Amino acid sequence: MGAFSLSRMTATFFSGPMADRFPRRTLMLGGLSLYAAASVGYIFASKAWHLMAVRLLNGVGSAFVIPVAMAIGAEVAPPGKEGRFFGTMQMATYLGVGLGPLLSGVTYEHWGVKAPFLVMFVSCSVAVVASLIKVPKGIGDSSHDTKSLWRSMGGILADPVLFRVMLYQLMTTFGRGMTMLLIPILANRHGLSVSQIGYLVAGVSISSALLQQVSGWLADRISKRWLAVVSCILTGSVLLALPLPRTFAGFML
């Protein structure tokens, strides 16, 4: 599980600067193609190191999809409506993350372990074709000179506000990653089926997706700092309560 995040983190150091120098549409198409290739790799993996290699490839693909899409979004977001705009983009991301486990659990129980990866391959292929047709060439491409990666990172870390935002992102994502890993393990120990575990993991992301536009709308109108504080308190409370449930309903709540 960690191999995906490790390779994505490493590859993002390259995909970010590349998105400022090369056509972002092309980079995103390349990332989606790596996703499709990884989905086929899962089907043929027969050893633990095979899975780790595919996860590494999957992480590289992710680094050239979501950050590049966000860079395009930053260029085309209407002034004053950034919160709602990025809320919509995040909603799409979380819906995808949520529907993935849902489809995986159902297809696994009906057609076996290879079926979810075939679904993943088809969905990635559809995304490639849709991006080729619907994303115009040149959209969101950087039109100004960019600083080096290290100068950019140094500037971010030296800015007290951006540094705190990065720390906030790190900690909340750390908690989300632990939740996504531990919920299936805990649920399995209490006898829940694969499809039920799929519903649980989907529930985390789908509930987030449904609230993205609401939080984006709020972020355009009230203090973002207090929204972050409330979010941290709620997230921390849920993490503390995670070992308590024993039933499907308890885990879903």
Side-chain angles (χ1 to χ4, degrees):
M1 293 297 293
F4 174 87
S5 298
L6 181 64
S7 67
R8 176 179 170 177
M9 179 186 71
T10 306
T12 300
F13 277 100
F14 300 96
S15 66
M18 287 175 70
D20 289 332
R21 290 170 170 81
F22 301 103
R24 291 172 181 168
R25 176 178 179 268
T26 302
L27 294 175
M28 193 165 64
L29 286 168
L32 288 169
S33 299
L34 283 179
Y35 258 115
S39 61
V40 175
Y42 287 117
I43 295 173
F44 294 101
S46 58
K47 293 183 172 63
W49 74 266
H50 293 169
L51 281 174
M52 187 171 290
V54 175
R55 290 292 286 169
L56 288 168
L57 179 67
N58 211 164
V60 173
S62 178
F64 283 89
V65 176
I66 296 175
V68 176
M70 288 295 176
I72 293 174
E75 292 280 345
V76 301
K81 296 182 179 179
E82 293 88 353
R84 182 178 295 184
F85 193 87
F86 279 97
T88 303
M89 291 187 71
Q90 287 287 82
M91 180 180 71
T93 301
Y94 280 112
L95 275 176
V97 172
L99 290 173
L102 190 64
L103 286 170
S104 296
V106 173
T107 54
Y108 169 82
E109 291 202 337
H110 284 82
W111 296 291
V113 71
K114 293 183 180 181
F117 301 112
L118 291 172
V119 172
M120 178 181 170
F121 173 75
V122 171
S123 64
C124 290
S125 300
V126 169
V128 170
V129 174
S131 298
L132 276 170
I133 296 172
K134 291 293 185 180
V135 179
K137 291 181 179 180
I139 188 170
D141 289 353
S142 181
S143 59
H144 50 77
D145 293 332
T146 57
K147 296 180 180 179
S148 69
L149 169 66
W150 301 114
R151 286 184 65 190
S152 297
M153 287 297 295
I156 290 171
L157 295 175
D159 186 295
V161 175
L162 286 175
F163 176 76
R164 291 181 184 121
V165 169
M166 284 189 67
L167 188 63
Y168 167 73
Q169 283 279 75
L170 175 65
M171 292 295 101
T172 52
T173 310
F174 181 69
R176 190 184 310 138
M178 286 199 315
T179 303
M180 297 291 275
L181 177 64
L182 292 176
I183 282 180
I185 295 173
L186 291 171
N188 180 259
R189 286 181 180 176
H190 293 294
L192 273 67
S193 68
V194 173
S195 59
Q196 286 179 315
I197 293 172
Y199 293 138
L200 291 177
V201 179
V204 176
S205 297
I206 291 175
S207 62
S208 294
L210 295 176
L211 291 171
Q212 287 301 311
Q213 282 201 318
V214 175
S215 60
W217 181 84
L218 289 171
D220 288 333
R221 285 162 175 78
I222 63 176
S223 170
K224 297 175 179 65
R225 180 173 62 178
W226 285 111
L227 288 174
V229 169
V230 172
S231 170
C232 284
I233 292 171
L234 288 173
T235 302
S237 301
V238 170
L239 287 172
L240 286 173
L242 192 58
L244 300 178
R246 295 291 184 272
T247 64
F248 174 72
F251 275 111
M252 183 60 80
L253 179 62

